[in-house]
Amino acid sequence: MLECRDLRKSFGELAAVDGVSFHIAAGETYGLLGPNGAGKTTSISMAVGLMQRDGGQVLVDGEPLDPGTTRLKAKIGLVPQDLALYPDLTARENLRFFGRLYDMPRARLSRRVDEVLEIIGLSDRANDRADTFSGGMKRRLNIGIGLLHAPRLLVLDEPTVGVDPQSRNAILESIEQLGSEGLAVLYTTHYMEEAERLCDRIGIIDRGQIKAEGTRRELAQILSQHDRVRLSATGPLHEGAEALRRIAGVQQVDVTDGAIDVLVEQAGNSLMAILSALEQSGVSITGVEIDEPNLEAVFLHLTGRSLRD
Amino acid sequence: MRSALTIAAKDLRQRVRDRSIYVIALAAPLGLAAIFGFVFNPISDADFTATFAVANIDQGPLASPLVDGVLGGLAEDGNVNLVHAASAEEATRLVEGDGERADQDVDAAVIIPAEFSARVQTGRPAELRVVQNANSSLASTLALAIVEGYARELDYVQGAVTTLTAFDPARLADAAAIAGLAASTPSPASVRDVSASTKQLDNTTFYGAGLATFFLFFTVQFGVNSLLAERHFGTLNRLLAAPVPRWSIILGKAITSFGLGLVSMLILIVATSFILGADWGNPAGVALLVVAATASAIGVMAMVSALARTSEQGEVFSSIAAVGLGIIGGTFFPINQAGGVLASLRFVTPHAWFLQGLGDLAGGSIGDILPAVAALLAFTAASSGIALALLRRRLNP
């Protein structure tokens, strides 16, 4: 459905996107996972023909897409990162306006507007101005506009940023539903759990480059010889963490509220040394969990920085 | 084209919903035009009326043409009020304002002394007297000019009689007939006013047109600046991602501006004509000028807006440009009467060309406004070209 080859874009000296390639098949949800400034938005701006490329190629259904191309754009629905709607128009007016730009016949547009209002849960507020909506409702309308013309590829750029947990869950459920209906989805996020939940395949992007790509299981294989040990504890956790970093085989140590997360090669070999070091640092351990590494750990391993950086 | 109309229709809906358009495009120019028109109308030429006292002591044959013919004719046209006085003293008192009829505010007195006709007819020196009111310089100067003109006419007739009888004294008996013939002979040279009095807008029309043009530049900015607003609200990316040509986005904005500008001007023209009595001139000529002026306003404001990076910056730049050009262009006062550099500088603005075109139309035909229309279209072409070059970069990041 969408193929991006060796996309490149620089702003002055900064190479925002440096040779990004990926492809998405029909019915597949592909995630671009990376922290802020990694090059996600610039990549998808080139992918949907919003931005001129310095290099590379974009193919939609095998046909090249450029910013001047109009016909192919009808196959793509875009949900920008920032809200992109008219606050002084009603939800219905917003949808109808963008529907007309996609040359939808009048009768079909009316039906589709009602359908989309139902999908995004705004049927009862259809005739209210968008500036009277809550943040979550505006986000849902923002997604609805991208869906209106029934695109074959839906591109969502961090659609849940700044959304309350309830609305966020509703948005994710909608996207899961769309994916199951055969829509190709390109989804960018810096939330690991969203990528894990929604995406069939994930591209980890950092500093304008795809560092690794695959299914969640394939990415986890990168750290197949590693375990994630979560130690619930009290006491001087940061001193304990410092002691753990000196143990052979320990790759990463993170201190969170009331716990220390440790990425370690072969946890069975190092567990006794870890517990001993913490005890000597004055840390009291109240629980131990051993899991497979998650995408956060993979990202940290590949880029040397956290998704929240 | 269809997508451009869709964008324009959406913009117009937004502008109608945004009530500030009514203030900028209608209420403010109408209100200000009404105020300016009412303030300046008392000195309007159309309403000028003078009051003259006339003391015809002579009652002779040469007094009658002046009193009944010249002054009586002006009184019939409504340009002069005549107050008849029985004596020279009474006429003088009326002008000086200490007589029993001082309430009539007499601007000048014309006194025809006793034996005036007899003295002229017998070739003796005679005089006509004019008493001027120091507080009515314009009207009293007019009285003096009228009487001087009549005296020159008498001089011309007397010259004809004197010349003929000097060569043929036998015809002295026919002096009255010769005088009559000379008086009825048309003047060999005549003066026709083709400048100021005919190619000039009256005050109400001038201020109505000036303020309409001034606010036209504010009105069109609603459409022109909406491209910046699209970027502010993030919707520009949606428009760029939609399957529509990029030029249609700009065309849609231009259609919005053009529609708003034309409707605003049309309402102001109709309102100032019917409510304030403005006389805009030949409708076809006015329509041509309005279309050209609206196009130039869109071009100029698009160029200014294209220099801005944000919608807030765009509004500030546009306002500064609209006010600055409006003042230089003479929309608030007839800057051409200031003379010198200012009078020439005004032609760097479309406002001045629009007002010039209306003035030309008032004293001529549609053909006379073609230079103004050409100038306005030149403004449109130049400013639109610059605006498009700047916007092309914005629409192709």
Side-chain angles (χ1 to χ4, degrees), chain B residues 123 157-168 178:
Chain B
V157 172
Q158 192 175 45
V161 173
T162 305
T163 304
L164 272 174
T165 54
F167 282 101
D168 185 3
I178 295 168

Side-chain angles (χ1 to χ4, degrees), chain A residues 49-52 67 70 73 78 80 83-89 93 97-98 100-103 129 142 145, chain B residues 2-3 6-7 10 13-15 17 230 233-235 237-246 395-397:
Chain A
L50 271 182
M51 188 179 278
Q52 297 280 0
T70 55
K73 287 181 178 175
L78 174 66
L83 288 173
L85 40 87
Y86 298 105
D88 48 358
L89 298 186
E93 286 168 344
F97 167 66
F98 286 108
R100 287 199 189 101
L101 287 186
Y102 283 82
D103 215 12
R129 283 168 54 136
N142 200 37
I145 294 169
Chain B
R2 188 179 164 189
S3 49
T6 300
I7 291 168
K10 184 269 299 175
R13 183 193 294 266
Q14 287 181 291
R15 297 289 73 81
R17 211 161 273 181
E230 298 277 7
F233 289 117
T235 44
N237 275 352
R238 279 205 195 279
L239 296 180
L240 294 175
V244 297
R246 298 195 168 188
L395 295 178
N396 293 289

Side-chain angles (χ1 to χ4, degrees), chain A residues 220-234:
Chain A
Q221 283 295 314
I222 294 171
L223 295 177
S224 60
Q225 301 302 308
H226 295 68
D227 292 307
R228 190 167 66 95
V229 180
R230 185 172 180 81
L231 300 144
S232 301
T234 58

Side-chain angles (χ1 to χ4, degrees), chain B residues 53-58 83-102 106 108-114 127 129-132:
Chain B
V54 180
N56 184 1
I57 317 299
D58 175 46
V83 178
H84 292 280
S87 65
E89 291 74 21
E90 184 190 350
T92 304
R93 277 201 308 276
L94 287 171
V95 174
E96 291 171 347
D98 59 353
E100 64 275 16
R101 290 153 80 177
V106 175
V110 177
I111 300 167
I112 307 168
E127 68 177 17
R129 296 179 206 152
V130 175
V131 183
Q132 294 181 279

Side-chain angles (χ1 to χ4, degrees), chain B residues 118-139:
Chain B
R119 294 179 75 86
V120 171
Q121 286 172 326
T122 55
R124 288 178 291 161
E127 68 177 17
L128 292 167
R129 296 179 206 152
V130 175
V131 183
Q132 294 181 279
N133 187 333
N135 295 322
S136 306
S137 60
L138 182 63

Side-chain angles (χ1 to χ4, degrees), chain A residues 249-269:
Chain A
V250 171
Q251 301 283 308
Q252 293 161 17
V253 181
D254 288 315
V255 177
T256 56
D257 288 340
I260 300 174
D261 287 319
V262 184
L263 183 69
V264 60
E265 294 174 17
Q266 304 292 341
N269 297 340

